[in-house]
Amino acid sequence: MRKIYTSIDIGSDTIKFVVGELLDNNINVLAANTIKSKGIRKGLIFDPNLAINAIKDGIKEINASLGVHIKKVIVNVPNYNAKFMFVTGSIDITSENEIITSDDISKVIKNSIYSKLAVDYDLVTVIPAQYLVDGERVDKPIGKKGKKLEIKAIMVSVPKKNIYSVLNVVEGAGLEVVEIVLSGLADYYEVRNKSLENKVGAIINLGHETTNVSIINKGKFINTETIQLGGINIEKDLSYIFNINVFDGRILKEKFASSHKRFSQLNDVYEVKNTIGETLKLNQLEVSEVVMSRLKEILEYAKKQILLLTKQNIGYIIITGGLTEIKAFKNLAFEIFGKSVIIYSMETLGVRDNKYITALGMIKYFCDKMEQRGKEYSMLDEVEVINLETPSSNKNKKDNMIFTKFIENFITNKEEK
């Protein structure tokens, strides 16, 4: 069975769609696209109808590129007021051969969270920290023989309104949600590697309207917080100070500014019209001073938040998100966090852009969850897989149609003559 999955990362600025196939423990990206967000502010949905239409438009492009009709998806939910609780559970193995199955894993997880959800909260996920079979620790209990299975885990929950607002718009777009994920957890699954597994670390994702700070303890997602600052604040600063529109502020931020004024050029000039039609000549230094000031504030807030989220020694800090792509960002990050900080960049073919980090991480998380629970799953059935086309094959198909049409017209014109 081909294992194919679709994720939708619902962001404040854009909605990202990724379709990937699990091959040899790696995700092969089959299709990816981005569409402008509508009806979403700071990660929360304020106009469901606009959000539904945006998702419909985005999934329509994915369907056209692959030649299938995507019906099932993984989505992220806002992590505002997320709760993390350490839970335990145990069950007796009742099968005659006493071999632990995936059903037993599901049962012990349900047992661990029974009656433990807070009022007005709903479950996002349960992250296993340790399994015990007859009192002995095992990494993967499926297939092991024993009389009793125990679990120690982290239960992650968020307010019900966070979940149902997302479910309503995704289902309103005609899609079935098979998994929900917190963005910080998805980010970790994209950036993780063996060198991080035994350390306590932090991931900072610099978004458009918000910044997410997540804490990972030896590979386990244990806490997260959202800071109400992001790239839009830089754009507004530039707009206010130079009396230009916010759209021009974004262009200045992305195409001209430096994250650190020390690495800006006084002689580099950018011409832009202000709101009353006058042409301004802005040098890179004065623009970079504005950008650096706000970026420094965001990063220092993130640094303080890490200390509030955990009292343990931090072994690594990883920073990602669109703002990391502003010129000289690493120089500012080094100044605030030290030179051991990691600036993460996406390298996966098809999604070589930091805006896709959460969307791809969601798929990696889901694949790992299925493996841990001993389940085989794909979001496309056999018939849909047969109809599946890659974007390149679709292009060839269109090119062949154009060529065929050309030949038909050529023959018709020749016969008429």
Side-chain angles (χ1 to χ4, degrees):
M1 178 178 66
R2 291 181 66 182
K3 299 175 183 178
I4 297 169
Y5 313 98
T6 302
S7 66
I8 304 178
D9 172 16
I10 301 175
S12 301
D13 185 43
T14 57
I15 303 174
K16 281 74 67 176
F17 302 79
V18 173
V19 180
E21 179 175 11
L22 181 63
L23 289 171
D24 299 325
N25 294 319
N26 291 310
I27 301 298
N28 176 34
V29 175
L30 303 179
N33 79 308
T34 302
I35 195 163
K36 186 69 178 174
S37 293
K38 296 175 184 176
I40 302 164
R41 185 180 296 125
K42 294 192 174 181
L44 298 173
I45 295 163
F46 70 89
D47 191 323
N49 290 329
L50 288 177
I52 286 171
N53 289 333
I55 292 171
K56 280 183 176 179
D57 290 342
I59 208 71
K60 184 178 179 180
E61 290 183 24
I62 289 289
N63 290 339
S65 68
L66 293 177
V68 296
H69 184 61
I70 299 294
K71 303 183 186 74
K72 301 177 180 180
V73 297
I74 310 162
V75 298
N76 59 334
V77 295
N79 52 352
Y80 291 106
N81 301 311
K83 288 186 176 182
F84 296 78
M85 180 185 291
F86 183 75
V87 295
T88 61
S90 65
I91 62 167
D92 294 325
I93 306 302
T94 57
S95 60
E96 289 184 9
N97 59 13
E98 297 181 340
I99 299 297
I100 296 170
T101 66
S102 60
D103 288 338
D104 294 318
I105 299 296
S106 297
K107 288 177 185 176
V108 77
I109 289 173
K110 289 178 182 177
N111 179 273
S112 71
I113 63 172
Y114 182 72
S115 300
K116 293 174 183 174
L117 279 170
V119 177
D120 294 328
Y121 270 68
D122 216 334
L123 181 70
V124 176
T125 190
V126 177
I127 304 170
Q130 188 180 106
Y131 287 107
L132 299 171
V133 177
D134 294 340
E136 292 186 9
R137 182 173 179 174
V138 295
D139 292 330
K140 295 182 180 181
I142 294 176
K144 303 287 185 181
K145 188 173 183 178
K147 298 180 181 297
K148 186 177 183 180
L149 174 64
E150 299 172 79
I151 187 174
K152 296 179 181 180
I154 300 163
M155 181 181 76
V156 186
S157 61
V158 297
K160 289 182 178 180
K161 62 182 180 180
N162 291 17
I163 294 177
Y164 293 113
S165 61
V166 172
L167 294 182
N168 288 339
V169 298
V170 176
E171 290 171 358
L175 301 167
E176 176 188 345
V177 177
V178 299
E179 184 69 43
I180 54 175
V181 188
L182 286 186
S183 297
L185 180 58
D187 292 345
Y188 173 67
Y189 268 81
E190 171 54 32
V191 306
R192 69 175 184 165
N193 56 56
K194 289 186 178 180
S195 69
L196 308 179
E197 288 180 357
N198 296 313
K199 299 178 182 178
V200 178
I203 300 171
I204 302 169
N205 191 323
L206 302 168
H208 180 64
E209 291 187 336
T210 60
T211 294
N212 285 329
V213 180
S214 303
I215 304 298
I216 312 297
N217 185 350
K218 296 180 180 179
K220 309 302 177 186
F221 184 59
I222 63 166
N223 217 338
T224 188
E225 190 57 78
T226 299
I227 299 169
Q228 301 294 317
L229 291 170
I232 186 67
N233 298 96
I234 298 173
E235 296 163 18
K236 288 180 177 179
D237 290 345
L238 292 167
S239 172
Y240 175 76
I241 290 171
F242 298 118
N243 193 27
I244 59 177
N245 65 51
V246 176
F247 178 76
D248 287 327
R250 172 176 282 203
I251 294 174
L252 278 175
K253 178 194 76 176
E254 295 177 351
K255 307 295 184 184
F256 184 65
S258 174
S259 298
H260 201 300
K261 62 182 181 181
R262 192 185 306 154
F263 299 91
S264 61
Q265 301 296 322
L266 187 61
N267 296 328
D268 282 358
V269 175
Y270 187 92
E271 290 191 4
V272 61
K273 287 188 177 181
N274 62 18
T275 55
I276 60 174
E278 297 173 337
T279 299
L280 304 178
K281 292 185 178 181
L282 305 177
N283 67 61
Q284 195 178 58
L285 177 60
E286 61 184 334
V287 172
S288 298
E289 285 178 332
V290 176
V291 172
M292 179 182 175
S293 176
R294 182 65 81 172
L295 258 181
K296 188 175 181 180
E297 179 191 18
I298 295 171
L299 292 176
E300 287 180 342
Y301 265 123
K303 187 176 182 179
K304 290 177 183 177
Q305 195 62 56
I306 292 170
L307 297 176
L308 292 173
L309 291 174
T310 181
K311 301 303 180 185
Q312 301 183 67
N313 291 328
I314 295 294
Y316 64 88
I317 295 175
I318 298 173
I319 307 178
T320 188
L323 294 182
T324 62
E325 296 181 9
I326 299 176
K327 179 185 173 184
F329 177 85
K330 68 178 181 179
N331 302 94
L332 180 61
F334 288 168
E335 192 172 281
I336 295 171
F337 293 100
K339 291 193 175 182
S340 61
V341 69
I342 301 167
I343 313 302
Y344 187 80
S345 294
M346 294 284 288
E347 297 294 339
T348 303
L349 190 64
V351 285
R352 286 180 176 169
D353 191 313
N354 278 352
K355 67 185 178 184
Y356 287 112
I357 179 175
T358 302
L360 189 59
M362 287 158 65
I363 294 176
K364 291 183 177 180
Y365 161 76
F366 184 74
C367 291
D368 184 71
K369 180 177 178 178
M370 291 297 100
E371 181 186 358
Q372 293 293 326
R373 300 191 182 186
K375 294 182 178 180
E376 296 276 326
Y377 189 83
S378 177
M379 294 180 185
L380 296 183
D381 60 32
E382 292 181 6
V383 175
E384 290 167 333
V385 167
I386 292 172
N387 294 328
L388 183 67
E389 297 174 347
T390 63
S392 59
S393 67
N394 248 347
K395 181 180 182 301
N396 292 336
K397 182 178 178 181
K398 290 176 182 177
D399 289 345
N400 289 337
M401 290 173 65
I402 293 170
F403 180 73
T404 302
K405 190 70 177 175
F406 170 78
I407 293 298
E408 288 175 352
N409 290 339
F410 176 78
I411 294 172
T412 301
N413 292 336
K414 190 173 181 180
E415 288 176 347
E416 288 177 354
K417 289 179 181 180

